[in-house]
Amino acid sequence: MRLPRFEYFAPKTLEASLELLGQKGDGAFVMAGGTDMMVKMSHGRLKPRTIINLKEIPELHYIKFNPQNGLEIGSTALLSEVLNHADIIEHYPALIQAVQTMANIEVRNMATLAGNLCNAAPSADSAPPLMVMDAEVSLVSSRAKRKVKLMDFFLGPGATVKNVDEIMTAITLPAPRPQTGASYMRISARCGVDIAAAGVGVAIRLESEVLAEARIVLGAVAPVPLRAVKAEAALVGRQFDPETVQYAAQMASEEASPISDVRATRDYRKSMVAVLAKRAISEAYERSHARHS
Amino acid sequence: MKEFSIVGKDVPRTDAEAKARGSALYTDDIRLPGTLHGRILRSPIAHGIIKNIDTSKALKLPGVKCVLTAEDTPKVKYGNWRLFPETQDEYPLAVDKVRFIGDEVAAVAAIDRDTAEEALDLIEVEYEELPAVFDVASSIAQGAPVIHEYCPSNISVNRKIKYGDIEKGFAESDYVREDTFKFQAISHAYLEPCSALAQVDLDGRITLWTSTQTPYIVQCLLASTLGMRENDIRIIKPYVGGGFGGKMELRTWEFCAALMAKKTGRPVKFTLDRQEEFLAGRRRHPMTIRSKVGFKKDGTLVSKDLRIQLDGGAYNAMGPTATFLCGNFGAMLYRYPNYRFLGEHIYTNKPPASAMRGFGAPQSLYASEVQMNIAAEELGIDPVDIRLKNAQVSGDKIPDVATISSCGFSESIQAVAEMSGWREKRKSLKPGQGIGIGCYSFISGGVFNWFNTQYPFSAAEVRVFSDGTAHLLTMASDIGQGSDTALKQILAEELGLRMEDIRLTTADTAMTPQGDLGTWGSRVTLMAGNAVIDAARKIKQQLFGAVSARFNLNVIHDIECKNGRVQATARHDYGMSFGDAVAMVQKANRGEPLVARGSYTPRGKGLVTPAFGFGAQIAEIEVDKETGLVKVKNMWTAHDCGTVINPRSVEGQLAGSIQMGLGYALSEQMIMDGGKTLSLDFADYKMPTAMDMPPSEVVHVDTFEPEGPMGAKETGEGLASPTAPAISEAVYHATGYRCKDLPITPEKILNATRDKAE
């Protein structure tokens, strides 16, 4: 397919990028890794007039962690950098679970978390674990800065609350709290490298042995990553036991509203949500135990 | 086993370094000044009449140099079965009618690819849509639309085989069962998409570089479709990134590149993209197989009645050969005293299926092997033992086909059972775990001359020089399977030279000796290998004569070419260097270069193949009972390919076969909506990746094939068959789900196990 003709800029500062984005208006797109955009462009599904590449901006390329403030990932940090970051491996294993199933080594060396979120595919692997862990994204325009909960970020396939003049500069996660745990489980037809047919992110917090808080987000089974509120409610205030988990998993499955497509049928996706939810809840519970102090 | 110095060794592949460095030139890498870039306009409808094509707007687009429709061509039909011209049903560009979504309607050549692409949108085609059929049952139903006028039944080819008395056989059987199997289409998914580049010289002769398995077939069919003389067309095969049967015919882009080069005087290149490959590319035949088999109580096979319907898509392509071979594969591997086969090749309005690694064997042997496993279970016999009981052995006659010469099948079954710990694991695996066996037999090249060539099936020319080197010229086509390396090894072995002493020129129809039917049916090592040996022996005759004369040798002496010398076997001092011997022959012939031609054509070998490869494979798997996902944990293979010319190359073939077999068994399928292919990229076409590959162990069973070069025969293509039945049996062992319609998806496993639980 013919690649559209476009202007290309690679500014060195965030300020310059925002200015350009303002000037160019409609038809201008910012690009981080480009691994989704270039595919869309070569299939004729995206026809930008202007591309502003963020990868030359040093101030966006970082990963910061401290035990008080938590984690902050700049918008051009690579997936491979996230995957190999010692603090993320230690404190946010659910995010690692998601990133290691995303694409392959070559793509992870180019792609970014911010790009995965802004692309807003219903199957985006990074969304469910980040959402259940209370992630926020920083959106900056030449006029204003704001922080948005990732839970409120997605509007539909390819659509988000980010305005056309805004750039996502960072993703932040709160510091890990005691007795919390999170997990991400996904399934696809091909074991090695594949797009998720269904994914489930779970985060829980224990108070002694009671499930005090629960967050469950389902991927690839609705137009947006979907919060499973009934499944969450089925857990809160209860102790962890097989019946509770089974019931919550069943709720999650009922809340899912997947389509049938070339990757999987609606029925299979729904039943897989139950299996994945059960497994993810159990793993999040184990992790919350491990993080007692 | 015979001792060799180069054959049987892990000689590095001749193409390995160039491919690893990225310096290997494939067709699309070749740049000629002034090249125009071509694109093809394809039919958006599955069946219809072309009322009108208006190319005027496209021609006016700046940068467009040539637009072709059928009206600009000689309208000559082609097809690989030249022996039966009525089967030649395809035009390079659609004449009057389109028959599948993706059928080629027009072509554009422009100064760049983008302009050509843009011009396609400006071609206006008016269609009158016709009713279409997408499966064999609808296609042969009363009142079904006729896809080709010449063939009102839509059944383009049928083949019947019959021997013994099947009814008597079933009557004498203690156990008879009948099953129906269905098979999906899958893609060859070769890494290199098809590409062709044509150049015309001032005399109007054409040179075509093309990603092909069959340069000679392309040369002949291009000549006939263009109305040119064969010798005015030169086909060169550069490096090819895989074919698997998908690149063994004349293709539209080869025809269009050549004709457009003639019309414009400029080089013209077409390179397909992956989407086109998936949308319109050849594929493995979907089939419906009904198989009835009868056994004695002790597991002895008595009778088999096999009916196969091939869903051929819109054109015959290599479907007739697949139809022909299915009948043979149905009666290979085991002894079937009473056998009947009816195969029908049926047109549908889908992209044509064609040859693909196994050529009908993966489907036909899947049915045989699954039924063998069912019978074993119901008769209370171990699957290994029932196979040993019925296994073909050397000397067995397959009526009207061949007498099996070398055969290491029983040894393969025993070896693979041993190495996998079969007997222990069949009893002791945990729930959710399973182990299963699948076997194969395959041809080493075909005998039936459907292309009707007047040349030898394979040929080689060997030139030797006084500097101690040799030049091997052959039309044999290495498409990644390693024949360049294997043929060099064979020549080096025969002449006592080193690999680096041999220059190789292959697959150039103007430079290499006629003929060669190409790379398919596992024919190259055996046929081209024999041609190389034939040429080398003629060279040796002359060298031996020179050494004999120089040392006044008694005629009873044996003479050999070894370690770069030509010498009396018993007295190495009666000898000289290879180069000196060549020089002496040249002197004796007053300067004439020392050159010899060799050839091979199978004769007196029936109608199917000169030799059979065999093997057995065992898969160990684990099924996640909640998700239905199958993890293949281990594969063991024991096989008989005669002499192993290059062990590492054979192991590479095995790894590739397992990868394809995994996909066929578990995940790959062309997902269709009517006539439209929906799986158009590797995100939606689920080919296993390196990360899905299980560990694998292999044993080469030691046999010697008298008809093969240095005892070698088929490997790699037969191996495309056992993986799916082995995995299928392992899944049954683990879950109780018996799959009769591939692929074994997680959903099918869950549905079956859920039904069982309820």
Side-chain angles (χ1 to χ4, degrees), chain A residues 2 192 194 265 268 278, chain B residues 118 626-627 686-687 692 747:
Chain A
R2 178 175 188 159
D194 203 357
T265 62
Y268 184 68
K278 187 178 80 181
Chain B
E118 200 174 324
E626 288 184 320
T627 63
K686 308 287 183 192
M687 192 164 89
D692 301 306
E747 204 164 358

Side-chain angles (χ1 to χ4, degrees), chain A residues 1-3 5 42-43 45 100 103-104 108 186-195 246 261-269 271-272 275-276 278-279, chain B residues 39 112-115 117-118 273 275 624-631 666-667 671 678-679 681-689 691-692 746-747 750 754:
Chain A
M1 190 72 74
R2 178 175 188 159
L3 214 54
R5 296 189 187 282
S42 60
H43 286 168
R45 297 202 304 267
Q100 72 193 2
N104 54 27
R108 289 197 294 267
R186 56 105 84 171
I187 192 168
S188 65
R190 187 166 46 198
C191 307
V193 179
D194 203 357
I195 293 168
Q246 190 62 47
D261 66 8
V262 294
R263 283 172 209 143
T265 62
R266 175 184 161 83
D267 286 351
Y268 184 68
R269 284 192 157 113
S271 51
M272 284 311 100
V275 173
L276 297 173
K278 187 178 80 181
R279 292 179 182 182
Chain B
R39 297 294 289 154
D112 57 40
R113 201 176 155 97
D114 285 353
T115 307
E117 187 82 39
E118 200 174 324
D273 58 33
Q275 201 169 349
D624 182 326
K625 285 195 155 178
E626 288 184 320
T627 63
L629 280 176
V630 175
K631 180 161 179 57
L666 297 172
S667 60
I671 298 169
L678 300 179
S679 37
D681 55 35
F682 283 115
D684 290 335
Y685 183 82
K686 308 287 183 192
M687 192 164 89
T689 69
M691 293 169 65
D692 301 306
E747 204 164 358
L750 288 186
R754 201 178 293 142

Side-chain angles (χ1 to χ4, degrees), chain B residues 426-441:
Chain B
R426 273 299 271 195
K427 283 179 278 178
S428 65
L429 287 182
K430 297 192 194 84
Q433 297 179 333
I435 187 165
I437 184 168
C439 301
Y440 75 91
S441 170

Side-chain angles (χ1 to χ4, degrees), chain A residues 83-288:
Chain A
L83 195 54
N84 295 310
H85 197 281
D87 294 315
I88 302 179
I89 293 170
E90 187 182 343
H91 299 293
Y92 303 94
L95 181 56
I96 297 291
Q97 284 176 299
V99 175
Q100 72 193 2
T101 57
M102 289 168 71
N104 54 27
I105 291 170
E106 293 86 341
V107 172
R108 289 197 294 267
N109 282 335
M110 296 182 72
T112 63
L113 272 189
N116 189 237
L117 297 175
C118 290
N119 186 53
S123 59
D125 281 297
S126 71
L130 288 171
M131 285 163 80
V132 297
M133 291 188 292
D134 264 339
E136 292 186 322
V137 293
S138 304
L139 304 177
V140 180
S141 73
S142 50
R143 295 169 289 109
K145 285 183 187 177
R146 58 174 177 147
K147 277 196 160 191
V148 175
K149 290 241 175 237
L150 193 57
M151 274 291 189
D152 306 323
F153 182 69
F154 299 105
L155 297 176
T160 69
V161 301
K162 185 175 80 67
N163 296 318
V164 287
D165 64 344
E166 286 180 317
I167 291 177
M168 183 186 286
T169 55
I171 298 142
T172 51
L173 280 171
R177 290 182 291 164
Q179 297 202 51
T180 60
S183 167
Y184 177 66
M185 297 273 175
R186 56 105 84 171
I187 192 168
S188 65
R190 187 166 46 198
C191 307
V193 179
D194 203 357
I195 293 168
V200 177
V202 173
I204 59 165
R205 187 172 64 80
L206 289 179
E207 275 174 16
S208 64
E209 270 307 299
V210 176
L211 295 159
E213 282 180 71
R215 286 279 180 283
I216 299 179
V217 169
L218 316 177
V221 292
V224 293
L226 182 76
R227 184 166 171 190
V229 285
K230 286 188 200 157
E232 292 175 1
L235 293 178
V236 173
R238 292 176 179 271
Q239 297 223 339
F240 178 88
D241 59 59
E243 293 73 34
T244 304
V245 174
Q246 190 62 47
Y247 181 68
Q250 202 47 49
M251 286 292 107
S253 172
E254 283 174 22
E255 287 175 88
S257 60
I259 53 166
S260 288
D261 66 8
V262 294
R263 283 172 209 143
T265 62
R266 175 184 161 83
D267 286 351
Y268 184 68
R269 284 192 157 113
K270 272 182 98 76
S271 51
M272 284 311 100
V273 166
V275 173
L276 297 173
K278 187 178 80 181
R279 292 179 182 182
I281 293 167
S282 305
E283 187 171 61
Y285 173 75
E286 281 163 29
R287 285 179 176 160
S288 67

Side-chain angles (χ1 to χ4, degrees), chain B residues 531-707:
Chain B
V532 168
I533 289 177
D534 186 30
R537 291 195 176 148
K538 290 175 185 166
I539 295 278
K540 282 162 77 173
Q541 277 306 313
Q542 301 217 42
L543 297 176
F544 291 175
V547 167
S548 174
R550 164 70 180 76
F551 294 99
N552 194 22
L553 290 180
N554 189 314
V555 291
I556 64 167
H557 267 288
D558 255 346
I559 307 179
E560 63 185 12
C561 284
K562 208 166 182 184
N563 300 326
R565 285 177 59 78
V566 186
Q567 61 202 13
T569 309
R571 288 288 306 270
H572 292 184
D573 52 332
Y574 291 166
M576 61 184 85
S577 75
F578 185 88
D580 288 347
V582 173
M584 284 198 72
V585 174
Q586 267 192 280
K587 287 279 182 207
N589 289 324
R590 306 282 302 183
E592 201 57 37
L594 180 45
V595 177
R597 296 285 292 269
S599 70
Y600 177 80
T601 302
R603 294 198 174 100
K605 291 283 162 195
L607 264 185
V608 178
T609 186
F612 298 84
F614 294 91
Q617 195 168 60
I618 284 176
E620 186 181 348
I621 60 117
E622 191 162 345
V623 178
D624 182 326
K625 285 195 155 178
E626 288 184 320
T627 63
L629 280 176
V630 175
K631 180 161 179 57
V632 180
K633 292 169 66 185
N634 243 311
M635 299 290 299
W636 294 272
T637 309
H639 72 135
D640 159 28
C641 65
T643 300
V644 177
I645 304 274
N646 189 319
R648 206 179 290 172
S649 219
V650 170
E651 282 155 30
Q653 286 283 331
L654 171 64
S657 304
I658 291 174
Q659 187 266 353
M660 278 183 139
L662 285 183
Y664 195 47
L666 297 172
S667 60
E668 288 182 45
Q669 53 184 326
M670 294 297 227
I671 298 169
M672 307 286 295
D673 176 15
K676 193 171 184 348
T677 307
L678 300 179
S679 37
L680 293 179
D681 55 35
F682 283 115
D684 290 335
Y685 183 82
K686 308 287 183 192
M687 192 164 89
T689 69
M691 293 169 65
D692 301 306
M693 286 294 284
S696 158
E697 281 176 55
V698 63
V699 164
H700 311 298
V701 170
D702 187 13
T703 65
F704 189 92
E705 169 54 46
E707 185 69 11

